[in-house]
Amino acid sequence: MAIKEWIAFAAFLLATIFGLAGLVGLFRFPDPYSRMQSGSLCGTTAIFSSFIGALVLSPHWAMTARIVIIMVFFLISAPTGSYIVARFIWQSGTSEWRPRKRLTTRSNSKEVE
């Protein structure tokens, strides 16, 4: 394989890793705000890694220009979509996650006089 194919393979592998990390974040985080942040950030990074791999493998300048135009469109539309979803979640009254308070027992706490 040529060096271009190895670079494209690395970009596609990185896209897969970021995509899986975002998927794990969607299921592991406790509230919709952090889930949305995980999904949008890792999703955007995964898509841009895929685009970089496609740019490396593009055979003509016309295809490269099309990929760049799609990247610019995605750069504008992805944050806008995330903002709309976050605003809808906020206006629906969903509260953010807060950690539970720890209960202390008398045997663990020391009294200071």
Side-chain angles (χ1 to χ4, degrees):
M1 286 207 295
I3 212 88
K4 286 174 65 172
E5 292 170 350
W6 281 106
I7 293 172
F9 176 74
F12 293 138
L13 184 65
L14 191 65
T16 304
I17 291 170
F18 277 117
L20 290 175
L23 185 64
V24 168
L26 285 174
F27 289 109
R28 294 287 299 166
F29 286 138
D31 67 336
Y33 301 109
S34 56
R35 288 179 183 170
M36 186 190 61
Q37 188 268 342
S38 168
S40 64
L41 184 66
C42 290
T44 302
T45 309
I47 292 296
F48 269 95
S49 297
S50 297
F51 283 148
I52 289 171
L55 281 174
V56 170
L57 292 178
S58 65
H60 303 296
W61 64 270
M63 186 175 290
T64 302
R66 289 178 187 143
I67 293 171
V68 169
I69 290 170
I70 293 169
M71 288 174 73
V72 169
F73 174 74
F74 191 81
L75 186 64
I76 294 169
S77 65
T80 305
S82 296
Y83 170 76
I84 290 169
V85 172
R87 187 175 172 121
F88 176 74
I89 292 171
W90 181 260
Q91 289 178 348
S92 70
T94 303
S95 62
E96 66 274 357
W97 176 80
R98 295 177 193 240
R100 290 185 236 162
K101 292 183 179 180
R102 296 180 105 182
L103 297 175
T104 58
T105 60
R106 295 214 180 248
S107 62
N108 290 342
S109 63
K110 295 181 181 179
E111 292 184 26
V112 178
E113 294 183 39

